[in-house]
């Protein structure tokens, strides 16, 4: 007897929606999708060599194992309000809402109604990120400087305050928590540069539009110990201590399936904090 196939609903079929659709299908979900105009999009469907992609009519009474929302920040709360009845588990593409007030409403409603919501800060949950956080236990007050640099090709300009900045802020505040202040903050159409302090820790965040992709998070302690995190790698004083390729978004789909209450609360607090900081930057 075959096992019943898991059901997922995807809301938002843009470029990132296509990525998420592929992952959900690969992970064994039967995929339903919703478009902005609530009409089938056959161009979207033919991109997948699968019989398990179909348009979802909101007139159908159905519960999904997972709902994934990948829309623009201004649309998150309205989409959540309309589709929250269709599941108990939700994965929201970052930043999860337009502002701190809206995301707090989403989390409060989810908690009151027994629903689990994770915001897709995928790079925080990678193996190298989790290993780094373990290595920093008991050393947070000894961090002297944090430098985060991300470079990649942009195929469209603008909107970096919700496309890329949330990931960079999440990376920073996960490493070092405390009172954050900025001495320089520039978010342009194709670059980001932030300089400031978290308590006594100096930090610098930078994003640039480059042909070649590059990411590095460098943490220097008072005793000159240096951790360097790259995608799928972690170095300690130039010694490679982790090197294994994993797809970060895949892990988020796995995580929402099994996440404990503690993980949900931690993720929701992070998402709220990130939007609060972005409002402070006033981009």
């Amino acid at each position: 007897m075959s096992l019943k196939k898991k059901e997922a609903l995807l809301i938002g079929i843009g470029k990132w929606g296509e990525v998420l659709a592929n992952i959900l299908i690969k992970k064994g979900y039967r995929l339903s999708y919703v478009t902005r105009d609530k009409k089938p999009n056959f161009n979207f469907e033919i991109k997948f060599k699968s019989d398990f992609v179909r348009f979802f009519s909101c007139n159908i009474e159905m519960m999904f194992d997972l709902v994934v929302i990948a829309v623009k920040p201004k649309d998150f709360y309205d989409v959540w309000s309309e589709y929250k009845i269709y599941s108990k588990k939700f994965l929201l593409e970052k930043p999860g809402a337009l502002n701190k007030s809206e995301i707090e409403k989403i989390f409060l409603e989810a908690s009151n109604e027994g629903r689990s919501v994770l915001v897709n800060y995928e790079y925080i949950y990678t193996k190298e990120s989790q290993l780094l956080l373990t290595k920093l236990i008991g050393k947070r007050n000894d961090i002297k400087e944090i430098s985060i640099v991300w470079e990649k090709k942009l195929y469209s300009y603008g909107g970096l305050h919700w496309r890329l900045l949330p990931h960079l802020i999440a990376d920073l505040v996960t490493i070092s928590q405390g009172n954050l202040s900025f001495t320089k903050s520039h978010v342009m159409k194709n670059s980001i540069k932030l300089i400031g302090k978290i308590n006594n820790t100096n930090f610098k965040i930078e994003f640039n539009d480059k042909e070649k992709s590059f990411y590095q998070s460098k943490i220097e302690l008072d005793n000159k110990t240096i951790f360097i995190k790259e995608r799928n790698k972690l170095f300690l004083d130039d010694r490679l201590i982790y090197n294994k390729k994993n797809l970060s978004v895949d892990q988020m789909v796995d995580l929402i399936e099994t996440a404990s209450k503690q993980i949900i609360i931690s993720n929701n607090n992070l998402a709220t904090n990130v939007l609060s900081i972005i409002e402070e930057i006033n981009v």
Side-chain angles (χ1 to χ4, degrees):
M1 183 177 178
S2 61
L3 294 175
K4 182 184 176 185
K5 206 166 186 70
K6 296 179 291 186
E7 300 278 356
L9 175 62
L10 173 65
I11 305 160
I13 59 169
K15 181 179 179 182
W16 191 243
E18 291 181 15
V19 172
L20 292 166
N22 271 309
I23 291 169
L24 292 165
I25 293 168
K26 183 178 73 174
K27 288 192 169 293
Y29 282 91
R30 189 196 313 271
L31 182 67
S32 299
Y33 70 93
V34 174
T35 58
R36 181 183 293 273
D37 61 6
K38 292 185 168 60
K39 295 179 181 179
N41 186 313
F42 298 112
N43 289 329
F44 174 76
E45 293 183 22
I46 62 176
K47 292 178 181 179
F48 308 98
K49 296 178 180 179
S50 172
D51 296 328
F52 300 111
V53 178
R54 60 187 178 183
F55 176 72
F56 176 66
S57 170
C58 299
N59 296 324
I60 300 172
E61 291 187 10
M62 182 174 180
M63 282 295 287
F64 291 88
D65 297 287
L66 175 64
V67 170
V68 179
I69 302 177
V71 297
K72 293 181 178 180
K74 66 182 180 62
D75 297 323
F76 267 107
Y77 185 73
D78 288 343
V79 169
W80 156 260
S81 298
E82 183 175 356
Y83 292 97
K84 65 180 179 177
I85 62 172
Y86 292 107
S87 185
K88 291 293 186 180
K89 293 184 178 181
F90 294 79
L91 179 62
L92 275 56
E93 180 50 32
K94 55 81 185 109
L98 181 62
N99 51 46
K100 179 184 176 184
S101 174
E102 284 193 358
I103 208 161
E104 286 178 332
K105 287 200 296 185
I106 290 173
F107 294 151
L108 179 60
E109 291 173 16
S111 178
N112 290 341
E113 297 166 13
R115 307 183 198 279
S116 298
V117 177
L118 278 183
V119 179
N120 183 21
Y121 283 106
E122 57 191 275
Y123 300 119
I124 300 304
Y125 299 97
T126 60
K127 301 293 185 182
E128 67 272 16
S129 293
Q130 292 301 303
L131 179 58
L132 173 61
L133 295 179
T134 299
K135 295 289 184 183
L136 290 175
I137 291 174
K139 300 182 178 70
R140 298 292 179 90
N141 293 331
D142 302 324
I143 299 175
K144 178 181 178 182
E145 188 172 79
I146 301 170
S147 175
I148 302 172
V149 179
W150 192 4
E151 298 174 346
K152 72 172 189 174
K153 177 66 177 175
L154 290 177
Y155 294 96
S156 62
Y157 288 166
L160 297 192
H161 60 287
W162 62 268
R163 291 168 58 196
L164 299 176
L165 183 57
H167 278 310
L168 293 164
I169 296 294
D171 208 354
L172 175 68
V173 299
T174 304
I175 295 168
S176 182
Q177 294 134 1
N179 296 321
L180 187 150
S181 61
F182 295 96
T183 56
K184 179 180 288 188
S185 60
H186 295 299
V187 182
M188 312 299 286
K189 66 178 183 179
N190 63 345
S191 66
I192 297 169
K193 189 166 187 178
L194 305 173
I195 297 174
K197 279 182 174 288
I198 296 184
N199 294 336
N200 295 319
T201 299
N202 296 310
F203 71 81
K204 179 177 75 172
I205 291 176
E206 191 170 342
F207 172 82
N208 294 296
D209 177 21
K210 299 278 188 178
E211 289 291 334
K212 187 175 180 180
S213 294
F214 173 79
Y215 166 84
Q216 185 182 88
S217 176
K218 181 178 179 181
I219 299 97
E220 182 179 353
L221 306 186
D222 289 332
N223 64 4
K224 306 299 182 183
T225 297
I226 294 177
F227 292 94
I228 293 178
K229 182 179 70 167
E230 298 178 356
R231 297 292 184 232
N232 299 303
K233 294 181 181 180
L234 182 63
F235 296 85
L236 171 56
D237 292 333
D238 295 327
R239 180 169 57 91
L240 183 63
I241 61 174
Y242 180 83
N243 182 17
K244 188 175 181 181
K245 189 170 184 179
N246 292 291
L247 292 176
S248 52
V249 187
D250 284 36
Q251 294 178 178
M252 291 303 297
V253 174
D254 293 338
L255 187 62
I256 187 58
E257 291 177 346
T258 60
S260 65
K261 186 175 181 179
Q262 181 179 359
I263 290 174
I264 296 292
I265 292 172
S266 175
N267 173 275
N268 293 179
N269 288 340
L270 172 64
T272 304
N273 194 14
V274 168
L275 281 172
S276 178
I277 291 169
I278 291 175
E279 288 179 15
E280 284 182 38
I281 296 172
N282 194 27
V283 293

